[in-house]
Amino acid sequence: MRRVSIPTKETISETNQVLFSTLEKSVGFVPNMYAVFAHSPTALEDYLALQNRKTSLSFKEKEIINLIVSQLNGCDYCKSAHTEMGKMAGFTDEEILEIRKGNIRFDSKLNELLSLTKKIVEQKGKVSDRKLSHFFEAGYTTENLVDIVIAIGDKIITNYLFALVKVPIDFPIAKEL
């Protein structure tokens, strides 16, 4: 059951109207999740700034984080959206399912990223020294660690917003595991 309306361009602030136009040009449409942010005059702009910030993580690495966090939080909207983004990043359908299951067999370094991200979410940031050592031994840095936490926070925002408002999913529905 949807709990809030999906704002239209005509019903939102001028700033959000400009952002809707930008999204229409870059994405081809305004995803419902982004539209919900437009209920606030500043939230969409703030969220897009967070999502589009410079980071030490690659597009593939960010999508691994997005997929596993959304899976752990049970966000059907974000699992669906990031399945599509994962394909754009170059992952196959099978690789995306491996990521969502929490164990990457196709790349050991990316598996360390996935494993650490999963532990951070499940254990609310309290991971062992051994887990962090494995992450750093795989070739990641403290800068990457900070950017992972920011990416997790980004995804938690949309995961929780979906849980609260139940916006219609406007991407192909992700397969169940």
Side-chain angles (χ1 to χ4, degrees), residues 11-172:
T11 64
I12 57 177
S13 71
E14 286 183 32
T15 299
N16 283 332
Q17 287 176 11
V18 170
L19 294 170
F20 271 35
S21 293
T22 301
L23 286 165
E24 288 166 346
K25 289 176 189 162
S26 63
V27 181
F29 69 107
V30 177
N32 287 335
M33 183 61 71
Y34 288 151
V36 169
F37 280 106
H39 279 287
S40 162
T42 60
L44 179 58
E45 183 175 26
D46 293 342
Y47 181 72
L48 290 172
L50 173 64
Q51 190 175 58
N52 295 318
R53 67 180 278 280
K54 289 185 180 185
T55 178
S56 63
L57 302 171
S58 71
F59 183 32
K60 278 190 163 190
E61 290 167 329
K62 285 174 46 178
E63 286 312 310
I64 287 169
I65 295 164
N66 291 333
L67 284 161
I68 193 62
V69 173
S70 298
Q71 183 67 42
L72 292 170
N73 286 327
C75 181
D76 293 335
Y77 188 97
C78 293
K79 285 187 291 188
S80 298
H82 290 289
T83 291
E84 293 306 304
M85 296 298 291
K87 291 175 188 176
M88 290 174 61
F91 291 120
T92 66
D93 289 331
E94 296 76 26
E95 290 170 338
I96 289 168
L97 290 174
E98 278 187 34
I99 294 164
R100 288 180 49 213
K101 288 177 183 176
N103 186 28
I104 294 174
R105 295 185 309 250
F106 59 88
D107 187 300
S108 61
K109 182 177 181 183
L110 292 178
N111 192 56
E112 282 302 325
L113 168 71
L114 175 70
S115 177
L116 179 68
T117 301
K118 188 173 183 240
K119 288 290 184 195
I120 290 169
V121 173
E122 291 173 337
Q123 298 175 353
K124 298 177 177 45
K126 297 176 182 144
V127 300
S128 69
D129 290 342
R130 184 174 180 202
K131 174 50 74 188
L132 279 177
S133 291
H134 288 156
F135 173 75
F136 293 129
E137 288 166 9
Y140 287 103
T141 66
T142 304
E143 178 184 9
N144 298 140
L145 181 64
V146 171
D147 285 337
I148 289 166
V149 173
I150 297 292
I152 290 169
D154 165 353
K155 205 43 40 208
I156 286 173
I157 291 168
T158 54
N159 290 174
Y160 286 14
L161 187 58
F162 176 76
L164 289 165
V165 301
K166 304 286 192 232
V167 298
I169 300 170
D170 47 5
F171 291 91

